[in-house]
Amino acid sequence: MSFSIRKRKVAAAAKAAGVDGLLVTHLPDVRYLSGFTGSNAALVLAGERAVLFTDGRYTAQAKAEAAGTRVVIAKKPVLPAACEWIEAAGVKRCGFDAANTTVAALESMRKAVSGKVRRGLFAPVGSLITRLREVKDADEIVRLRAAANLGCGLFDRMLELLRPGLTEIEAAAELEHAARLSGAEAMSFETIVASGERSALPHGRASKAKLPKQGFVTMDFGVVLDGYMSDMTRTVHFGKALEGERDVYDAVLEAQEAAVAAVAPGVTTGDVDEAARSVLRRAGLDKYFTHSTGHGVGLEIHEGPKLAAKQTQALEPGMVITIEPGVYMPGRFGVRIEDMVLVTEAGGEILTPSVKAWIEL
Ligand code: ZN
Ligand code: ZN
């Protein structure tokens, strides 16, 4: 495991941000840097030193998971315990991630240190670690591939199980049951099954609605494997397509494939978004594409980079992103197709190669 390499990269980023210590409280960041998966932790990095603070429930787990990091089982809440250590260690300026620190947490950090060091000790440095996490290392890519593969297997299984009359909740239950039996630790997010008119809801949570004899069913789902998340969407059709349905499906598919083809190092996320959006514009459907084209995925389901209109961030090899354009026609139907794509030196590699051609069940 490359925790020491990750910690070194973070230390360099912290130094560049002008701080000599870093207080890490966002749990996915703690996991990324130490391996610890518990629900209560604060990690302090100061020069070569790394100390993980957690509580007595996690004594054995923390020692096993965070093997390369010093573990302190705190007798008080982890945040003040970590801040007292920061003061005692002589850290002059300690960075924290403002985006993941509540006002109450900052108050408790300040209260935990003495008046003489309080002023200027804690400095917001932005999401240094979250930013580093956008580019996945080899270990992470192995895990993301495995999660994505598991997701593809579930889609194949759903093609056998889906039938008109099944409720969306029952379809989601079948999918989640199969996911668990295949070894998923959890679902990455609440499984979306949206059928018939409800397919026009971009985030239609599975309801009691029955899958129709004629119409679309959109399934958006993901699994967690080894902490890493998958995310994919497929839209299938029951019965023969009505007027316009097939054209919309083909336009979304063309938009999705155009955006995947645009993925390459150095290309901006805004350009990838535009690759999808321009196909739908030509088809007169862009006004029904009401969200962004995609997002990074890893230890969290929605990470950077964000793939949206006018974004200027450049893609880098090792990023894992989703490409998920959709068209939603209120009161009629909706179509979305989503893949996970690894940015490689050569372009983009689809990690969820399940069939995307029109499927009629
Ligand atoms: Zn999704
Ligand atoms: Zn997504």
Side-chain angles (χ1 to χ4, degrees), residues 147-190:
N149 270 334
L150 204 163
C152 290
L154 294 176
F155 177 65
D156 293 344
R157 183 85 187 99
M158 289 313 286
L159 290 180
E160 296 164 10
L161 291 170
L162 285 179
R163 59 175 194 279
L166 203 65
T167 68
E168 293 171 353
I169 288 174
E170 286 166 344
E174 293 282 11
L175 190 146
E176 293 178 3
H177 183 66
R180 284 298 223 168
L181 290 180
S182 309
E185 294 160 13
M187 305 308 289
S188 322
F189 53 91
E190 202 174 332

Side-chain angles (χ1 to χ4, degrees), residues 40 53-62 72-76 78:
N40 181 31
F53 295 83
T54 184
D55 65 66
R57 293 172 298 167
Y58 292 117
T59 308
Q61 184 182 328
V72 172
I73 304 300
K75 300 274 185 295
K76 56 173 72 175
V78 293

Side-chain angles (χ1 to χ4, degrees), residues 121-143:
L121 176 60
F122 295 109
V125 288
S127 303
L128 290 183
I129 303 162
T130 318
R131 173 72 191 84
L132 285 171
R133 281 176 38 212
E134 291 181 358
V135 175
K136 273 65 184 174
D137 58 34
D139 283 335
E140 296 185 286
I141 291 168
V142 167
R143 285 168 172 76

